[in-house]
């Protein structure tokens, strides 16, 4: 309704409804950088058509190709496309590309990373807050697994928080899609809705030789089976959730050496201590999530039934519950 609302975006087709065509950088007003990774930059932006604030993940094509990361980009797009209708998963709104870059337009998680809240708390979140966010993580990861997706890089940096302080799982670049293709397309003859073939390389997960499949994820949260060249399974995500639950309650991750090698040694020896001040039920659950043998590790279904969650209401959708305040 303002006089200048349309002067910024040069439109290709006179007044084509934005939902009907592939978008371009000109559809967005780019603002400050929200985060930088080794292969991407996330920038806050506003959709010029709807005024909606979004987070745009920008990947440099030359860099991706040179570093042989095309598979990870394809996996991230496939996983987000499959999963991002869920309220606890960051929503993928659009993808497009130009000569230099690939763009993932994501729902903006206004309150940033869970890690920042854990850091602010210094020696751990309140028990009720840790319980609530552990429950949200379990529900979100159970959903991923039910869709045949392993996240493989769960950590507090990848747990984003919306404006209403519910989690939004992000960063599916390390994910593994256990089922080859997403839901069967209704009409095989129909043209694909998405013409962005640039990020659509085939998902032949782990076709790489042993040396290059060495380790996906982050040292502090990697499971012992992955360190021993065994395949990641659903239990590997449970291990990472155990590390995050510990970190929410204690303020630091359970396994942290002076370098990645020292961290790996601690993980393989299960060398961690839960401080005495930690709630006994929480301690017991962490103990069962951080079992070395993936087959002996607690399942997410059993974790929900654990005494730590006694009195927790699993029947009301968690996104309709009010999160306990974080510092
Ligand atoms: N950083 C990375 N992805 C983000 C998102 N979707 N929202 C806010 N910050 C982010």
């Amino acid at each position: 309704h303002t006089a200048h609302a349309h002067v910024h975006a040069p439109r290709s087709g006179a007044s084509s409804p934005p939902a009907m065509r592939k978008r371009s950088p000109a559809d967005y007003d780019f603002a400050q950088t929200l985060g930088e990774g080794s292969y991407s930059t996330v920038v806050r932006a506003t959709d010029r058509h709807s005024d909606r604030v979004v987070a745009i993940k920008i990947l440099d094509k030359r860099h991706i190709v040179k570093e042989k990361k095309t598979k990870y980009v394809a996996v991230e797009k496939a996983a987000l496309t499959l999963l991002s209708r869920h309220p606890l998963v960051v929503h993928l709104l659009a993808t497009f590309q130009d000569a230099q870059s690939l763009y993932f337009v994501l729902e903006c998680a206004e309150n940033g990373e869970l890690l920042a809240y854990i850091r602010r708390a210094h020696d751990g979140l309140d028990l009720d807050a840790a319980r609530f966010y552990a429950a949200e993580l379990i529900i979100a990861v159970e959903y991923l697994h039910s869709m045949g997706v392993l996240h493989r890089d769960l950590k507090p940096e990848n747990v984003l928080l919306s404006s209403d302080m519910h989690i939004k799982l992000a960063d599916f670049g390390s994910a593994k899609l256990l089922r080859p293709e997403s839901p069967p397309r209704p009409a095989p003859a129909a043209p694909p809705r998405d013409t962005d073939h640039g990020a659509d390389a085939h998902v032949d997960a782990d076709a790489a030789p042993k040396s290059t499949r060495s380790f996906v994820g982050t040292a502090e949260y990697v499971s012992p089976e992955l360190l021993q060249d065994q395949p990641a399974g659903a239990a590997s995500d449970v291990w990472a959730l155990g590390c995050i639950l510990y970190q929410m309650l204690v303020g630091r991750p359970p396994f942290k050496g002076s370098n990645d090698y020292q961290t790996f040694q601690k993980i393989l020896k299960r060398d961690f201590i839960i401080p005495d001040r930690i709630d006994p039920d929480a301690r017991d659950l962490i103990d069962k999530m951080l079992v070395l043998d993936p087959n002996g590790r607690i399942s997410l279904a059993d974790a929900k039934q654990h005494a730590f969650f006694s009195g927790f209401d699993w029947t009301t959708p968690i996104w309709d519950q009010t999160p306990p305040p974080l510092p």
Side-chain angles (χ1 to χ4, degrees):
H1 60 281
T2 58
H4 58 274
H6 294 106
V7 301
H8 307 285
R11 301 282 197 83
S12 34
S15 62
S16 51
M20 293 288 291
R21 54 164 173 80
K22 204 70 185 169
R23 292 193 159 217
S24 80
D27 290 310
Y28 301 91
D29 183 9
F30 289 83
Q32 75 272 30
T33 298
L34 293 170
E36 292 188 70
S38 7
Y39 300 99
S40 64
T41 302
V42 180
V43 180
R44 188 183 167 91
T46 306
D47 182 327
R48 296 186 193 279
H49 308 279
S50 65
D51 276 337
R52 180 180 183 165
V53 173
V54 295
I56 304 187
K57 185 168 183 167
I58 307 169
L59 302 101
D60 182 67
K61 287 199 228 182
R62 277 185 51 203
H63 188 218
I64 297 288
V65 171
K66 190 165 59 183
E67 301 292 322
K68 300 185 163 48
K69 302 296 175 190
T70 57
K71 193 186 90 183
Y72 298 91
V73 180
V75 164
E76 175 150 36
K77 183 177 172 182
L80 281 172
T81 302
L82 183 64
L83 302 169
S84 81
R85 314 270 122 166
H86 194 278
L88 302 182
V89 176
V90 76
H91 196 150
L92 179 66
L93 300 164
T95 62
F96 53 85
Q97 56 180 303
D98 59 21
Q100 294 84 30
S101 307
L102 302 174
Y103 299 82
F104 286 19
V105 182
L106 303 161
E107 163 188 22
C108 187
E110 290 289 352
N111 283 312
E113 301 174 358
L114 175 62
L115 181 66
Y117 291 87
I118 298 176
R119 290 212 168 126
R120 216 168 298 166
H122 284 106
D123 44 14
L125 307 178
D126 288 347
L127 191 61
D128 285 332
R131 183 184 292 113
F132 179 85
Y133 287 104
E136 287 217 328
L137 281 163
I138 288 172
I139 289 169
V141 175
E142 246 191 341
Y143 171 71
L144 264 52
H145 292 177
S146 77
M147 297 296 281
V149 177
L150 308 177
H151 188 287
R152 298 200 298 183
D153 197 18
L154 293 168
K155 53 181 170 179
E157 293 93 314
N158 291 340
V159 180
L160 303 180
L161 292 158
S162 65
S163 52
D164 56 7
M165 290 303 281
H166 290 280
I167 68 160
K168 295 279 177 185
L169 275 193
D171 206 341
F172 288 80
S174 303
K176 180 169 171 119
L177 280 73
L178 300 173
R179 302 206 267 273
E181 275 311 310
S182 12
R185 306 209 180 211
R193 265 198 70 232
D194 194 330
T195 53
D196 181 10
H197 299 300
D200 254 342
H202 296 290
V203 183
D204 62 331
D206 294 45
K210 237 182 186 179
S211 57
T212 54
R213 90 172 169 203
S214 50
F215 130 78
V216 284
T218 304
E220 280 78 12
Y221 307 89
V222 74
S223 60
E225 61 272 19
L226 242 85
L227 292 176
Q228 294 171 103
D229 249 317
Q230 287 157 344
S236 314
D237 282 342
V238 174
W239 176 277
L241 289 187
C243 294
I244 297 171
L245 175 56
Y246 179 107
Q247 189 169 355
M248 286 196 290
L249 288 165
V250 177
R252 57 182 152 77
F255 309 101
K256 189 157 181 59
S258 39
N259 54 51
D260 285 356
Y261 177 77
Q262 297 301 333
T263 299
F264 297 153
Q265 294 308 306
K266 291 190 176 198
I267 293 167
L268 290 167
K269 291 190 305 199
R270 200 175 181 271
D271 176 10
F272 73 103
I273 296 163
I274 307 179
D276 289 337
R277 62 183 165 82
I278 301 306
D279 169 81
D281 288 329
R283 166 194 303 279
D284 188 73
L285 178 56
I286 291 167
D287 212 57
K288 291 179 158 75
M289 295 178 90
L290 299 182
V291 166
L292 284 178
D293 177 4
N295 300 308
R297 210 169 290 154
I298 195 168
S299 67
L300 294 180
D302 288 344
K304 290 163 85 171
Q305 302 303 317
H306 188 275
F308 179 58
F309 292 111
S310 69
F312 188 84
D313 179 12
W314 292 102
T315 57
T316 309
I318 200 157
W319 43 89
D320 292 335
Q321 299 183 33
T322 303
L326 289 182

